[in-house]
Amino acid sequence: MRTVVNIILMLFCVTAFSQEQKVEFKKVDNDLIKATYYFADNSTVIEKEGFFNKNEKLQGMWVSYDVQGNKIAIAYYNNGKKDGVWSYFKDGKVNLVTYDNNKIINVEEKIVAVN
């Protein structure tokens, strides 16, 4: 019984100290709402941002960042479904994944040349 009480107490402490993620919503027009999500441990650094349509589904371009503010992914949605070319950036390479109505239709990798 004591072990159960200790486990419950430990779980309560962990959830009590967990941080909430800061999210900002801004109406762009009648059909789009811009959403900006910040890292939970740093409410000034953007983790990802993009749009929701009037049906509260992901819409248009979404961009994800690392803690230093570098882009790590660019994604596109059409009414909540993956659509278009998604770009993933890592170690001087770009992986391009093309979606059509949530289905992968092409994958390619390119090396990024920086001058």
Side-chain angles (χ1 to χ4, degrees):
M1 179 66 176
R2 188 172 203 202
T3 304
V4 173
V5 171
N6 285 338
I7 291 173
I8 292 172
L9 183 61
M10 184 176 66
L11 289 174
F12 175 76
C13 290
V14 169
T15 57
F17 291 107
S18 65
Q19 296 181 354
E20 231 178 87
Q21 184 176 34
K22 178 181 168 186
V23 182
E24 293 178 348
F25 297 101
K26 180 180 178 185
K27 189 172 185 176
V28 176
D29 60 30
N30 288 334
D31 293 333
L32 290 177
I33 296 172
K34 183 176 181 181
T36 304
Y37 294 81
Y38 296 86
F39 283 96
D41 56 347
N42 187 341
S43 64
T44 63
V45 179
I46 297 173
E47 180 182 5
K48 61 186 171 188
E49 58 187 347
F51 300 91
F52 288 98
N53 63 21
K54 62 183 175 183
N55 299 320
E56 299 179 3
K57 304 232 178 181
L58 300 169
Q59 183 66 37
M61 183 172 71
W62 279 78
V63 181
S64 297
Y65 303 91
D66 63 17
V67 178
Q68 290 79 34
N70 301 309
K71 287 181 188 175
I72 56 173
I74 299 174
Y76 294 91
Y77 291 90
N78 185 9
N79 202 32
K81 295 183 179 180
K82 297 175 182 177
D83 192 52
V85 179
W86 287 35
S87 305
Y88 300 92
F89 306 96
K90 187 172 181 182
D91 299 329
K93 295 180 183 175
V94 178
N95 290 309
L96 303 171
V97 180
T98 304
Y99 288 93
D100 184 18
N101 199 26
N102 259 357
K103 294 181 182 149
I104 296 174
I105 57 173
N106 190 36
V107 177
E108 52 185 307
E109 180 179 86
K110 296 188 176 192
I111 296 174
V112 178
V114 179
N115 293 331

